[in-house]
């Protein structure tokens, strides 16, 4: 039985996770938490971009945090989508990785 010669997590990933934990532990602002989680998905998990939706008072979903290329932020931040559309998208998702969806809506 041998030992792994390659680290399981790189130092950059560990640093990113520590920073995420530190921010989450000290954040008093929901927006700061959401922005930090989005940024961690891009920086630590190596996603191209990430977005978080919150349910509005009307029941729709609004993109409230985006990380990644500036054009992703410009295109997504503030977009409101009917909940039914998300429910349908999740039900027929072609590429599904747990709770992560990688399919875009066609307008």
């Amino acid at each position: 039985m041998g030992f792994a010669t390659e680290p399981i997590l790189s130092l950059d990933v560990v640093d990113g996770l520590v920073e995420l934990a530190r921010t989450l532990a000290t954040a008093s602002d929901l927006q700061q938490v959401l922005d930090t989680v989005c940024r961690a998905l891009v920086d630590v998990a190596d996603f191209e971009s990430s977005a978080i939706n919150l349910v509005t008072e009307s029941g729709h979903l609004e993109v409230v945090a985006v990380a990644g290329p500036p054009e992703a932020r410009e295109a997504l931040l503030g977009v409101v989508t009917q909940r039914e559309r998300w429910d349908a998208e999740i039900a027929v998702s072609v590429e599904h990785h747990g709770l992560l969806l990688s399919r875009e809506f066609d307008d």
Side-chain angles (χ1 to χ4, degrees):
M1 180 173 197
F3 293 99
T5 57
E6 298 283 326
I8 295 172
L9 297 175
S10 72
L11 188 55
D12 288 341
V13 169
V14 172
D15 286 344
L17 293 172
V18 168
E19 182 60 30
L20 174 62
R22 185 177 294 126
T23 300
L24 294 176
T26 60
S28 60
D29 177 47
L30 177 60
Q31 190 63 54
Q32 181 184 10
V33 170
L34 298 175
D35 290 340
T36 300
V37 170
C38 270
R39 209 170 35 256
L41 286 169
V42 171
D43 296 344
V44 177
D46 201 28
F47 285 5
E48 184 177 318
S49 60
S50 66
I52 295 177
N53 291 280
L54 289 182
V55 178
T56 65
E57 288 183 23
S58 65
H60 300 317
L61 292 162
E62 179 180 359
V63 179
V64 296
V66 179
E71 25 323 323
R73 183 173 177 80
E74 292 169 14
L76 296 173
L77 194 62
V79 170
V80 178
T81 307
Q82 292 181 349
R83 177 67 181 258
E84 296 78 19
R85 188 169 180 188
W86 270 109
D87 290 344
E89 180 66 20
I90 290 169
V92 297
S93 177
V94 174
E95 194 168 348
H96 187 342
H97 307 282
L99 294 176
L100 302 173
L101 298 173
S102 59
R103 186 165 171 226
E104 294 182 17
F105 289 120
D106 295 323
D107 284 328

